[in-house]
Amino acid sequence: MTARRDLLVLRTGTHGTPVEEYAEALRERLPDYDVRLARTPAAEREEIRDAGIVTGMTIDEDLLSRAEKMAVFACAYAGTGHLPMDALAERGVTVTNASGVHGPNIGEHVLGSILAFTRRFHVGERRQRRREWRHYQATELQGSTVTVVGMGAIGEAVLERLEPFGVETIGVRYTAEKGGPADEVVGFGEDAIHEALARTDYLVLACPLTDETRGLIGREELVTIDPDAVVVNVARGPVVETDALVSALRSNRIRGAAVDVTDPEPLPEEHPLWGFENVRITPHNAGHTPAYYDRLADIVAGNAERIAENGSTEGLRNQVHP
């Protein structure tokens, strides 16, 4: 592509934060660029016609069909499964994602969930509501085994934050040979995962949703895992078979669960998961951070500068296609 210095921000924001903040963060980082924000559907349809770089949470095929000069779509989410990737490929559009933006905040969310179950804060909360001063037993995180499934930016952030706590860590990734910041790294083979689960005190799911990870944690896995284990899911709801999770909780086959994602999502009001005292539910909130747009703007602005310097979309940070 020619070194066009224009960038269009689509109107959909995330986490309740105005998308204007994202546009402003990009303007601060790209003073030589024409950074435009399309605030209405009509403005999106018009502005995208001559935009070279477009960024936003999503883009549909209708809007894409109007993009006559777009060379890059900078997705503002880490996942790109919701995008019309085939249509983008047909148009020769390079796609990047927001991988790495969520590492610190989701890492902290996971660590908080683990510590809450370790010190059994949910029991303390119940007794506080009842104004009941009565001691209860808690445990220590030190000496536990934590298995982290998925060793991308989020999984690595979790493992880094666990390091000072004196735990043993097992990482699960597609290519175990790549290793990573865990004491032991295994692949996605059924036998390897089951052997890891049999030693696991805290299971953290931080992997993308793929054909291989859909239903990864089902009945057999929840029977295999240590009955004193806690499941923490910050991946996607369908990575865990919901009925199997409910059954395991009812049968006391696991100590508890912290779920930021569910299947179905949103979780229906009448769903049995709401009723368990040993389940902590957050509404897909682990990804929220006030630093979201700043971190995302760092990635997108850096790529825009690289394009302006090289006149090419090759070698962009977080490039997922082509």
Side-chain angles (χ1 to χ4, degrees):
M1 67 175 285
T2 58
R4 294 172 54 87
R5 293 177 180 262
D6 64 285
L7 192 154
L8 176 66
V9 180
L10 301 181
R11 62 194 170 93
T12 303
T14 189
H15 298 305
T17 306
V19 73
E20 283 85 356
E21 294 184 15
Y22 179 33
E24 187 56 35
L26 286 167
R27 292 187 186 108
E28 291 173 359
R29 290 159 175 78
L30 295 169
D32 296 331
Y33 263 73
D34 176 19
V35 178
R36 292 167 285 152
L37 171 61
R39 287 299 290 115
T40 68
E44 285 185 336
R45 292 192 295 269
E46 179 61 30
E47 297 276 4
I48 203 170
R49 292 187 185 280
D50 63 352
I53 302 174
V54 178
T55 183
M57 307 298 157
T58 189
I59 186 170
D60 59 28
E61 293 198 41
D62 177 65
L63 190 59
L64 177 59
S65 70
R66 302 168 187 271
E68 300 173 2
K69 299 179 181 180
M70 181 168 64
V72 174
F73 180 72
C75 182
Y77 288 136
T80 56
H82 63 292
L83 298 179
M85 294 298 285
D86 290 342
L88 286 159
E90 288 173 7
R91 288 177 164 268
V93 177
T94 297
V95 178
T96 64
N97 67 11
S99 177
V101 169
H102 288 304
N105 47 290
I106 296 186
E108 291 172 5
H109 184 100
V110 169
L111 186 58
S113 298
I114 289 173
L115 289 172
F117 271 97
T118 300
R119 301 308 302 167
R120 300 186 72 200
F121 290 147
H122 54 294
V123 177
E125 289 167 0
R126 284 203 307 272
R127 296 188 181 183
Q128 180 179 347
R129 287 195 300 269
R130 298 169 183 167
R131 302 186 181 189
E132 181 180 69
W133 187 275
R134 184 161 60 91
H135 289 277
Y136 58 89
Q137 293 183 335
T139 60
E140 287 187 0
L141 181 55
Q142 181 172 278
S144 300
T145 298
V146 183
T147 296
V148 179
V149 180
M151 295 182 68
I154 292 171
E156 289 196 354
V158 171
L159 288 163
E160 288 168 4
R161 282 154 180 77
L162 285 168
E163 190 171 344
F165 287 88
V167 299
E168 291 293 317
T169 56
I170 303 172
V172 181
R173 67 184 313 167
Y174 289 111
T175 308
E177 294 76 18
K178 289 183 177 179
D183 296 314
E184 179 183 347
V185 179
V186 302
F188 269 80
E190 182 177 290
D191 289 345
I193 288 181
H194 278 239
E195 288 175 8
L197 290 175
R199 296 182 279 142
T200 296
D201 298 298
Y202 296 92
L203 173 64
V204 178
L205 301 168
C207 53
L209 179 62
T210 65
D211 290 342
E212 192 163 9
T213 63
R214 184 179 295 273
L216 181 71
I217 305 301
R219 182 185 178 281
E220 291 303 319
E221 289 71 30
L222 291 169
V223 169
T224 300
I225 199 169
D226 190 292
D228 200 38
V230 172
V231 176
V232 180
N233 190 6
V234 291
R236 286 294 184 267
V239 172
V240 178
E241 292 181 4
T242 303
D243 290 346
L245 178 61
V246 170
S247 177
L249 289 161
R250 283 176 172 161
S251 304
N252 293 316
R253 291 203 302 271
I254 59 174
R255 176 155 51 107
V259 293
D260 187 60
V261 289
T262 59
D263 183 25
E265 188 175 307
L267 193 64
E269 185 177 348
E270 68 280 3
H271 200 280
L273 276 178
W274 289 113
F276 290 100
E277 292 186 341
N278 58 339
V279 174
R280 319 307 292 165
I281 299 172
T282 48
H284 209 140
N285 207 61
H288 181 266
T289 169
Y292 187 93
Y293 284 144
D294 281 330
R295 292 183 189 138
L296 177 60
D298 286 341
I299 296 169
V300 176
N303 282 337
E305 290 174 340
R306 188 173 292 110
I307 291 168
E309 291 171 4
N310 302 331
S312 169
T313 62
E314 293 182 5
L316 298 183
R317 181 180 172 189
N318 286 4
Q319 185 169 330
V320 296
H321 174 81

